[in-house]
Each structure stands twice: as C-alpha cells, then as structure tokens.
Amino acid sequence: MLPNARGEADEVILVVDSTQWIDSILGEELRKTFLTPMLGLPQDEPLFNVSKVSPKKLNSVLKSAKNMVFVMTLDSKTSESRVLQKYFTNRSLNRIKEDTLTFLRVQKELFARDQTALFLFSSSEDLLSKRMSNNRYRIREIIETSARESIQNKLFKSTRKQLEKRITEDHNLSLTIPYGWEKARDLKNFFWLRLINAETEQSLFVYYEPYTGPSIFNEIDLFRDKITRRFLFDGENAQVHIERQPQIPVFTERMTFNGHFAVEARGLWRISDLSRGGPFVSYTVVDEDAGLIYYIEGYVDSPGTKKKNFIRELETILGTFRTKSDLLR
C-alpha cells in the first residue's frame, strides 16, 4: 500500500538538525559529501539536488521522495534532534552509544516504493564527521546507485534490440541502447551512436584494440586524442574533428568496471574549429582474457543548459557495456 516514490533521480531530502546544518563541522561534511560539484562539467552543478528539511516539517509529501538522508547524533539535545531520535528504537540508540564503528544504515522503501533511505548516525558530531570524511565515496555511491536505478527504469523501457544484436555480432561486445539512438558510424573496431533532439545531442562511441600493457592507463588523454582525431571528424571536412579542450585537465580515477580494471575520465571536449563543445565521461577498460583494451565514451552537446542529467544518462548506458570475454561467461 506504499505510494510511489516521487522526484528526480538525484534529488535528496536531507533531514538534519538545523543548527548542525548551519554552523558545525557536521554540516560542512554534509555539504562536501552531497553538494560538491560534479567533475568535468563546464559550469558547477552539485552532485545531488539537496533539499534540507527540518525533522519537525517532514510531511507525507516529503516522505515520498526518491532519496532521503537522515542525520542524527546523540550529543545534540535540540528539539529537532529529539524528533530524529524517534526514528530509532531504544535498542538502536543504546548500540549507537557503545558502537563507535557503525555509522550508517540503508533502508529500502521506508515510506514509498522504489525509495532509498540512508541513516547517518553516531554518538557525537565529531565522530560522525570523521566517519563520513573517511567513507565519502561509499556514502555517495549509495545515492548514485539509487539514481542509476531510476534512470535505467526510464531509459530502458524500450530499447533498440536489432541494433544491439548487430553490434554484438559485428564487434563481440554488448551494449543496451535506448529507443531513439541511431548509428552514426560503424567500422572494424569502432562504432558511434547518437541521440539528436531539437537543442541537445548525446553521443557515445566504442573503440578497441589489442592490449599491450598497463602504460596506456597513464596516457588516457593521448589515447582519446588518437581515437577522436581518427574517427570523429566532419563528413564534409575531415580536418574538422573532436578534440579535448587543452586548457581543462582530464580528471581520472582508477576503478573496477563490471569486474575489469578500468580508468574513468571526465573532461571537456570541443570541435577543432571551436564551434561547439561540452563535457564527456569515459571508461578505458582492459579485458585481459580477450587481450583487448576498450575505450568507451559518452559526450553531450547542449549549449546554454545544465549538463549533469545528460551525463548521468550516458553513465547509465555505458554501465551496460560488456566485453568479449563477458559474453562467454
């Protein structure tokens, strides 16, 4: 009988004592965790759209939000903190006093279907701030996962099954392709897909070659340059191609991508004639069993608009990518 969760995929209702939010080390840590700008965008956009709510004003509409974060420390004695403590049993409150290591709990569908509720708690502000600082990526990933699930449900209601099948047959890899995306270029070890609307274009491309060693992971920017110069050019003027914006660094992070070692990269691209530009996100993925290195990227061209949601959609599509050896498992 629960209502459906409402709101955008990355919207967060943050329920916290107002004094802790405004002027404390805990409030500062919460802002660093949820309001830090997403890397690689041309204008600052926070990772999540956060609405801070007093525990006393948490009504039924707010309780149906897609993502909720409750923050409580036992050393706060305000009336708002006392309201927050009512979300915990007496047994839980006693355990929080004694256990200095446990500081978070995730509960699905607390007030609504498809809802993620994250509880952050500790005996003191200082201790919770330290736990959050040391586990910032883990906390963000909980909300990121919830956002990706929402985007997946929206994007993949209808997919290009025949196009997916042809790509698998031609390239020995797989990718889930939402309805509306079209093939722009398809070569021996490269393909390029695009979604073009009135004011926005989203593109993604996949390139692969034999894997020769780990040194490539230290030269992601140069690897990308080689690919875009060779494949992403104007059909009427081959001298005009996509390139990196050299004034902006490419942000990279080593990670595991569907069980494979990979490097995530974020930065800004432009057309070499300086006519257009925007953000991109990519993953350089090694498939050692197949002896291949893959470069997969999504980029956005949407002048005058916010780009974060478009990048999140591309992240979600790229996340469905499977390598040659993945298909054999």
Side-chain angles (χ1 to χ4, degrees):
M1 300 299 293
L2 292 174
N4 291 321
R6 297 186 292 183
E8 297 299 322
D10 65 346
E11 182 180 355
V12 175
I13 297 297
L14 178 63
V15 188
V16 61
D17 186 304
S18 298
T19 59
Q20 291 180 319
W21 172 251
I22 294 171
D23 186 25
S24 75
I25 187 174
L26 180 56
E28 181 68 19
E29 188 56 46
L30 287 167
R31 282 184 280 275
K32 288 180 181 178
T33 301
F34 297 108
L35 293 177
T36 294
M38 178 182 282
L39 291 176
L41 298 182
Q43 297 88 27
D44 282 353
E45 296 182 53
L47 283 171
F48 307 105
N49 295 327
V50 176
S51 298
K52 184 271 172 190
V53 175
S54 165
K56 293 181 176 181
K57 298 181 179 179
L58 191 59
N59 56 36
S60 59
V61 174
L62 295 172
K63 284 181 177 180
S64 66
K66 174 63 182 166
N67 303 295
M68 303 191 70
V69 178
F70 295 82
V71 184
M72 187 278 297
T73 64
L74 296 178
D75 60 346
S76 177
K77 306 302 181 182
T78 67
S79 58
E80 289 187 333
S81 288
R82 287 196 294 271
V83 172
L84 276 166
Q85 291 179 16
K86 291 180 181 179
Y87 289 97
F88 298 80
T89 65
N90 289 332
R91 181 182 178 187
S92 295
L93 293 172
N94 288 329
R95 291 181 66 180
I96 293 171
K97 292 178 183 178
E98 300 169 358
D99 185 354
T100 60
L101 296 178
T102 304
F103 70 96
L104 69 78
R105 178 169 63 88
V106 178
Q107 186 167 340
K108 294 288 189 178
E109 301 190 334
L110 180 63
F111 302 114
R113 284 195 294 271
D114 299 321
Q115 180 185 69
T116 296
L118 170 62
F119 289 83
L120 299 170
F121 50 83
S122 187
S123 58
S124 70
E125 287 185 14
D126 286 347
L127 187 55
L128 181 55
S129 299
K130 291 176 182 176
R131 292 284 178 264
M132 290 183 62
S133 178
N134 294 333
N135 295 273
R136 195 172 292 152
Y137 178 83
R138 177 184 174 193
I139 295 169
R140 287 175 182 164
E141 185 60 22
I142 292 168
I143 306 301
E144 290 280 10
T145 299
S146 174
R148 282 194 295 269
E149 290 173 352
S150 294
I151 294 170
Q152 283 175 349
N153 292 336
K154 173 185 174 183
L155 280 180
F156 301 142
K157 284 183 178 179
S158 179
T159 61
R160 297 291 313 278
K161 297 294 186 185
Q162 290 302 314
L163 180 55
E164 293 170 2
K165 182 180 179 182
R166 288 199 300 272
I167 285 174
T168 297
E169 292 173 348
D170 293 343
H171 298 280
N172 285 317
L173 56 84
S174 70
L175 190 73
T176 302
I177 305 170
Y179 179 79
W181 283 74
E182 300 291 343
K183 183 168 61 176
R185 189 165 292 160
D186 193 355
L187 303 172
K188 181 179 179 181
N189 59 337
F190 171 88
F191 64 88
W192 178 15
L193 306 174
R194 304 167 81 183
L195 176 66
I196 301 177
N197 295 316
E199 299 178 354
T200 300
E201 177 185 333
Q202 290 170 280
S203 292
L204 65 86
F205 61 90
V206 175
Y207 170 82
Y208 53 96
E209 65 178 36
Y211 177 58
T212 58
S215 62
I216 195 169
F217 294 108
N218 299 319
E219 301 175 342
I220 299 299
D221 50 354
L222 300 180
F223 189 40
R224 181 187 191 274
D225 290 346
K226 178 184 77 170
I227 299 165
T228 58
R229 190 176 296 112
R230 180 179 174 186
F231 296 107
L232 299 182
F233 56 85
D234 189 319
E236 298 180 357
N237 183 357
Q239 299 302 312
V240 177
H241 61 274
I242 286 180
E243 62 184 14
R244 285 181 296 120
Q245 293 202 25
Q247 299 86 354
I248 307 297
V250 175
F251 301 99
T252 60
E253 182 175 354
R254 301 194 173 206
M255 62 178 301
T256 299
F257 184 95
N258 295 329
H260 300 281
F261 177 79
V263 171
E264 178 188 82
R266 296 174 185 269
L268 298 179
W269 64 273
R270 69 183 185 188
I271 297 178
S272 58
D273 65 3
L274 308 185
S275 60
R276 308 293 283 239
F280 71 84
V281 58
S282 73
Y283 303 93
T284 304
V285 184
V286 61
D287 183 345
E288 294 195 65
D289 291 341
L292 294 170
I293 188 82
Y294 296 88
Y295 182 88
I296 62 175
E297 176 180 307
Y299 66 87
V300 178
D301 180 7
S302 184
T305 67
K306 294 183 177 181
K307 316 293 194 298
K308 180 180 67 173
N309 290 341
F310 294 126
I311 287 291
R312 276 222 166 91
E313 289 182 359
L314 291 169
E315 290 172 354
T316 301
I317 299 171
L318 294 174
T320 68
F321 175 78
R322 296 296 183 270
T323 70
K324 180 178 180 180
S325 65
D326 291 337
L327 300 184
L328 300 175
R329 293 172 183 166

